[in-house]
Amino acid sequence: ARMEESVKKTVSEHPVVIYSKTWCSYSSEVKSLFKRIGVEPHVIELDQLGAQGTQLQRVLEMLTGQSTVPNVFIGGKHIGGCSDTIKLHQDGELKKLLSELNIT
Amino acid sequence: ARMEESVKKTVSEHPVVIYSKTWCSYSSEVKSLFKRIGVEPHVIELDQLGAQGTQLQRVLEMLTGQSTVPNVFIGGKHIGGCSDTIKLHQDGELKKLLSELNIT
Ligand SMILES: N[C@@H](CCC(=O)N[C@@H](CS)C(=O)NCC(=O)O)C(=O)O
Ligand SMILES: N[C@@H](CCC(=O)N[C@@H](CS)C(=O)NCC(=O)O)C(=O)O
Ligand code: FES
């Protein structure tokens, strides 16, 4: 419950949040995508948080239905993973979403 | 030394060898690429081998200079990772290489 609250707080406080793992290329791809379009994401590296990271990943699955990384939130809303985010960008929807939220 | 020999044996006995991790999307991508072109790769899932897997990954780094997964061998020759293999395929070089070795 406390972790759940902490996730909700994090995604409401930062326009773009990525739950990631440092060794994961899909996570790297999505991090650099945002940087390429001029947005600085708030990144949480789950593998650097030990047991807490494992718990956090479980809480995210509970909240979003997604058990994998990267797990992306924009404007507090769950977006999905790497493929979802890239597809959104290819459809022109990502920039649209970010500008509607005055993120970029 | 024994693990080094085991790697050399494995890559000489199987036309396509992929050192992989079960949770890794880059590893999944390269495994499915080969299946798509009709080649059954010999896959070693490093994360399923416990401490041996960690050692194996170190030995591969020693042998190939590559510390990451997926680590791909064709005809006993070190090819590279996911991006390298995909690029080879996009250049038409992958199928060429496989047919030269009578793999497909
Ligand atoms: N299609 C998904 C794939 C997500 C996925 O399979 N992620 C892997 C890492 S690449 C994962 O979370 N594996 C389990 C883990 O690391 O706990 C995406 O584009 O994000
Ligand atoms: N560009 C390389 C990236 C390889 C890479 O960074 N692999 C990651 C997993 S996606 C890795 O091995 N991380 C360290 C580890 O898992 O031990 C490729 O295309 O294969
Ligand atoms: S761990 Fe390899 S792509 Fe995520």
Side-chain angles (χ1 to χ4, degrees):
Chain A
R2 183 179 311 166
M3 261 198 168
E4 202 177 329
E5 286 316 305
S6 141
V7 170
K8 289 179 180 171
K9 186 166 185 286
T10 300
V11 304
S12 63
E13 287 180 351
H14 306 276
V16 178
V17 179
I18 302 170
Y19 291 90
S20 162
K21 289 187 186 177
T22 57
W23 63 58
C24 170
S25 295
Y26 262 35
S27 298
S28 313
E29 276 192 33
V30 92
K31 281 180 270 185
S32 58
L33 167 58
F34 280 106
K35 296 206 183 111
R36 265 206 314 283
I37 60 183
V39 175
E40 195 62 47
H42 180 79
V43 180
I44 296 114
E45 300 290 2
L46 296 178
D47 56 297
Q48 294 183 327
L49 301 175
Q52 268 213 347
T54 312
Q55 250 194 308
L56 204 34
Q57 194 168 349
R58 265 192 240 118
V59 167
L60 286 164
E61 180 174 12
M62 197 176 76
L63 287 170
T64 67
Q66 182 182 318
S67 62
T68 56
V69 293
N71 204 332
V72 181
F73 291 77
I74 298 176
K77 191 158 154 289
H78 179 243
I79 295 301
C82 177
S83 332
D84 303 310
T85 308
I86 286 177
K87 182 158 184 298
L88 222 64
H89 183 49
Q90 287 173 341
D91 294 345
E93 287 300 312
L94 189 62
K95 280 190 168 162
K96 192 150 155 279
L97 180 57
L98 292 165
S99 59
E100 278 172 6
L101 295 162
N102 294 322
I103 296 171
T104 184
Chain B
R2 183 178 312 164
M3 261 200 167
E4 202 179 330
E5 287 315 306
S6 142
V7 170
K8 289 179 182 173
K9 186 167 185 286
T10 301
V11 302
S12 63
E13 286 181 350
H14 306 276
V16 178
V17 177
I18 302 170
Y19 291 90
S20 162
K21 289 186 183 177
T22 57
W23 63 59
C24 169
S25 296
Y26 263 35
S27 298
S28 313
E29 276 192 34
V30 92
K31 281 180 271 186
S32 58
L33 167 59
F34 280 105
K35 296 205 181 111
R36 266 206 312 282
I37 61 183
V39 175
E40 196 61 46
H42 180 79
V43 180
I44 295 114
E45 301 290 0
L46 296 178
D47 57 295
Q48 294 183 328
L49 301 174
Q52 268 214 347
T54 311
Q55 249 193 309
L56 204 34
Q57 194 167 348
R58 265 190 242 121
V59 167
L60 286 164
E61 179 174 11
M62 197 178 74
L63 286 170
T64 65
Q66 182 182 318
S67 61
T68 56
V69 292
N71 203 330
V72 181
F73 292 77
I74 298 176
K77 192 158 153 290
H78 180 243
I79 296 300
C82 177
S83 333
D84 303 310
T85 308
I86 287 176
K87 182 156 183 300
L88 222 64
H89 184 49
Q90 286 172 339
D91 295 344
E93 287 300 311
L94 189 62
K95 280 191 168 161
K96 190 151 154 277
L97 180 57
L98 292 167
S99 61
E100 279 172 6
L101 296 162
N102 294 321
I103 296 170
T104 186

